[in-house]
Amino acid sequence: MSGVLVSATGITHTFGKGPAAFTALHDVALTVRAGELLLLMGPSGSGKTTLLHVLGCLLRPTQGQVQVLGQDTAGLRDAALGRLRLKHFGFVFQAHNLFPMLTAAENVMVALDLAGQRGAAARRRAEDLLGVVGLSTHCNAYPATLSGGQRQRVAIARALAADPVVLMADEPTAALDSDNGHRVMDLFRALAADQRRGVVIVTHDPRIVPLAGRIVRLDDGRVVPEPARMETA
Amino acid sequence: MARNGDEQTQRSKPPGVAPDRRRGLLAVSGGFTLLIAWRNLVHDRMRLAVTVVGIAFSTILMGMQLGLLLNFLHSTSTVVDHAGADLWIAAHGVRTVDLAIPMGERRRFQALAVPGVALAEPQLLQFAMWKRPDGIRESVILIGVDKDAAMGGPWDLTEGSGWREAVSIPDGVIIDRLYADKLGITVLGGTAEINGHRVRVTGFTQGIQTFTQSPYVFTSLRTARAITQLAATDLTYVLIRVAPGYQPAQVAAELARHVPDVDVITSGDFARRSNDYWLFSTGAGISIISSSVLALLVGLAISAQTLYASTVDRLPEYATIRAMGGSRGYLYRIVIKQALLGGLVGYACGISVVLALVHLGGGATAGPEMPPWLAAGIGVVSLAMCVLASLASLKKVTSIDPVAVFR
Ligand SMILES: Nc1ncnc2c1ncn2[C@@H]1O[C@H](COP(=O)(O)OP(=O)(O)OP(=O)(O)O)[C@@H](O)[C@H]1O
Ligand SMILES: [Mg+2]
């Protein structure tokens, strides 16, 4: 049990109701452990994003259980789920959604403010976090003046602000050239290996595969069984 | 949220991340939402300009209208407000101080017999026709008071040797500087005619405005009676001073019982009655109040519009905050602070213009007034309007689905 950060069992998720209903996940089980970099792969529409949202407590599955650090989440209200996300999860999305009128450091400080850290200390921590992602010289830059890779790294620094135990990223390298993609991936690997966080990445990007500790493939809302995974990996 | 933040800090943060208050306003709790709100506001210059101009416009319009209203309120009751009487006795049914109805002087003697009446002094107030030296006629309101009266005389005399001396001179009258040109007399000693009766200006006051556009002309009771050709015993008002130890309301009730066919009114009620008459039976008040409300609605519409557009622009970022675990309340605070900041900037611009205009128009005969309480009141209303304007945006923020934006 120790080392298990998130465990999901029997996850089925259906969007919509009646004839328009569409089941995107069928009885999926998955655990995220400390120190591992887990890749979620699979064809478009296979349910990767949906699963990531379920694991990150952004989406309540129609069926199944999600436990975060041993705590069952089914009985939690929305506000409590929000606090849970704030406390344990960091999210990086393909659309980084940085505030355009805030500097890189201030964008990180938004997450710190949510976590209750303010003032000069928060500013120092934001600058430290930007240092971690290699942007210490861009603290006062606005998103519009940063490259796509730099913006993605600001988003990663923001995701790390509340010191989450699990970092979740949906296609984080899709918009990046190969240099920037590598920098971002190295960062994710270090976060898992050196800082013992759980890192879950949804990706189509074959460049990432060699870095992965574990790959889970989805097809049509189901986890592809082990042997098939061996063939393709 | 706060509880969670504390836990968070305890769990894993390095030491020294406690809130630092030295950075002033922005460091105190909630300061970061203020920063986001401010940056949102100034981010789009065009939208900022529209917001500020809209709220400033609404403030200016409201300020000028309500300032004018206040001036009207003051001028319609100025004769009552400055008389120094506790009670007024007027012919039954009088609707405003300017439209006086004559009555016999025995009412004054009847009043004097009532316990609690310390002084009962006659005043005569009548519309009359002023003829300038160049022959042009102007309507005036003639007010006659006894030269020894304690109540009801002119005030703020700036030229002439005291109003009692000025009205003691035979056919001496006192007019106001504001209307010197209108009445065609600009220096002491100038002569004119009222109702064909020759008068001499022996004093000038400064700042006694009239609502009716017929300037007040003060004179002695004797001269006033001669001019108006009323009976030597007629008067229009009896001004009462209540003896120490008596309540005005109680004396008023006694007077009403002992003096027939009159209205006994406290100063405050008579002032209000005079205000209400001009404001509501003439429509002046309705038109002023409705244009103020209209100004408010225009400001409301403009600021609601710009705030909504700005909120819609920020939806992906707000959804990210929700996904990260931020509460709806956090987003509400951003939106409301943005509304209030826009309101403050717009109000500051607007009220500056109003104060400048009021200052420039200081000598006008019907310029708006803007005492601090009215300026502050308009500020409160403007800010309340901005909060109201943020409702649509708040609704939009409430409906954010943090998952939908990341598809
Ligand atoms: N809100 C929704 N309503 C209805 N169907 C949805 C909704 N969200 C996702 N789906 C469907 O669920 C399935 C899985 O979607 P999901 O986004 O998880 O796929 P994915 O593996 O992330 O695909 P991609 O690689 O293209 O991002 C898709 O067929 C999608 O159309
Ligand atoms: Mg996806």
Side-chain angles (χ1 to χ4, degrees), chain A residues 13-16 20-25 41-53 94 170-171 202-204 218 221, chain B residues 401 403-404 406-407:
Chain A
H13 191 74
T14 303
F15 289 106
F22 178 83
T23 301
L25 294 173
M41 300 189 79
S44 182
S46 58
K48 306 180 296 292
T49 297
T50 307
L51 180 57
L52 192 75
H53 288 167
Q94 186 181 339
D170 197 350
E171 311 271 12
V202 168
T203 189
H204 285 110
L218 289 179
Chain B
D401 174 5
V403 172
F406 304 122
R407 290 267 149 211

Side-chain angles (χ1 to χ4, degrees), chain B residues 94-157:
Chain B
V94 71
R95 289 185 294 174
T96 170
V97 66
D98 289 340
L99 300 180
I101 304 165
M103 59 187 178
E105 189 162 28
R106 71 176 184 286
R107 302 287 178 239
R108 183 164 85 88
F109 300 123
Q110 289 165 337
L112 274 171
V114 171
V117 172
L119 290 174
E121 297 177 342
Q123 190 187 62
L124 199 155
L125 188 151
Q126 278 275 295
F127 272 90
M129 197 52 74
W130 175 283
K131 187 171 161 200
R132 294 169 19 167
D134 61 7
I136 290 174
R137 285 159 207 272
E138 294 281 354
S139 164
V140 296
I141 296 175
L142 189 67
I143 299 179
V145 286
D146 199 277
K147 71 173 171 52
D148 299 320
M151 298 171 283
W155 62 98
D156 292 344
L157 199 80

Side-chain angles (χ1 to χ4, degrees), chain A residues 77-79 82-83 85 114, chain B residues 1 33 318 321-323 325-336 393-402:
Chain A
R77 297 168 148 276
D78 282 355
R83 286 195 288 271
R85 292 200 297 274
L114 287 172
Chain B
M1 275 286 294
T33 48
Y318 291 160
I321 284 182
R322 292 284 287 131
S327 63
R328 288 205 176 95
Y330 192 84
L331 301 182
Y332 293 162
R333 265 172 271 158
I334 295 175
V335 171
I336 289 183
S393 302
L394 292 176
K395 189 152 175 278
K396 190 80 191 165
V397 162
T398 305
S399 69
I400 289 176
D401 174 5

Side-chain angles (χ1 to χ4, degrees), chain A residues 48-209:
Chain A
K48 306 180 296 292
T49 297
T50 307
L51 180 57
L52 192 75
H53 288 167
V54 169
L55 291 173
C57 300
L58 277 165
L59 187 66
R60 292 174 194 272
T62 327
Q63 272 174 49
Q65 265 202 333
V66 178
Q67 290 193 340
V68 177
L69 296 173
Q71 184 191 5
D72 193 6
T73 58
L76 297 180
R77 297 168 148 276
D78 282 355
L81 269 190
R83 286 195 288 271
L84 193 85
R85 292 200 297 274
L86 197 57
K87 196 168 168 181
H88 299 306
F89 297 120
F91 296 96
V92 181
F93 300 97
Q94 186 181 339
H96 36 74
N97 294 331
L98 299 174
F99 279 101
M101 72 299 163
L102 297 182
T103 64
E106 287 162 350
N107 266 290
V108 176
M109 287 168 75
V110 172
L112 290 167
D113 189 53
L114 287 172
Q117 297 176 58
R118 298 180 179 111
R123 168 127 214 130
R124 274 195 303 277
R125 175 147 170 85
E127 286 168 0
D128 288 349
L129 286 163
L130 287 169
V132 169
V133 298
L135 286 175
S136 47
T137 55
H138 291 80
C139 290
N140 295 319
Y142 288 91
T145 68
L146 296 174
S147 73
Q150 289 170 327
R151 280 179 223 167
Q152 195 61 281
R153 281 184 277 153
V154 175
I156 294 170
R158 179 177 63 184
L160 293 173
D163 201 14
V165 293
V166 184
L167 199 69
M168 303 199 167
D170 197 350
E171 311 271 12
T173 57
L176 305 184
D177 62 26
S178 102
D179 269 6
N180 273 311
H182 271 114
R183 289 201 66 148
V184 166
M185 283 316 302
D186 281 344
L187 195 61
F188 280 126
R189 192 177 52 177
L191 290 171
D194 306 343
Q195 301 190 7
R196 305 296 298 163
R197 298 174 207 264
V199 178
V200 185
I201 299 175
V202 168
T203 189
H204 285 110
D205 191 347
R207 295 172 299 182
I208 301 178
V209 173

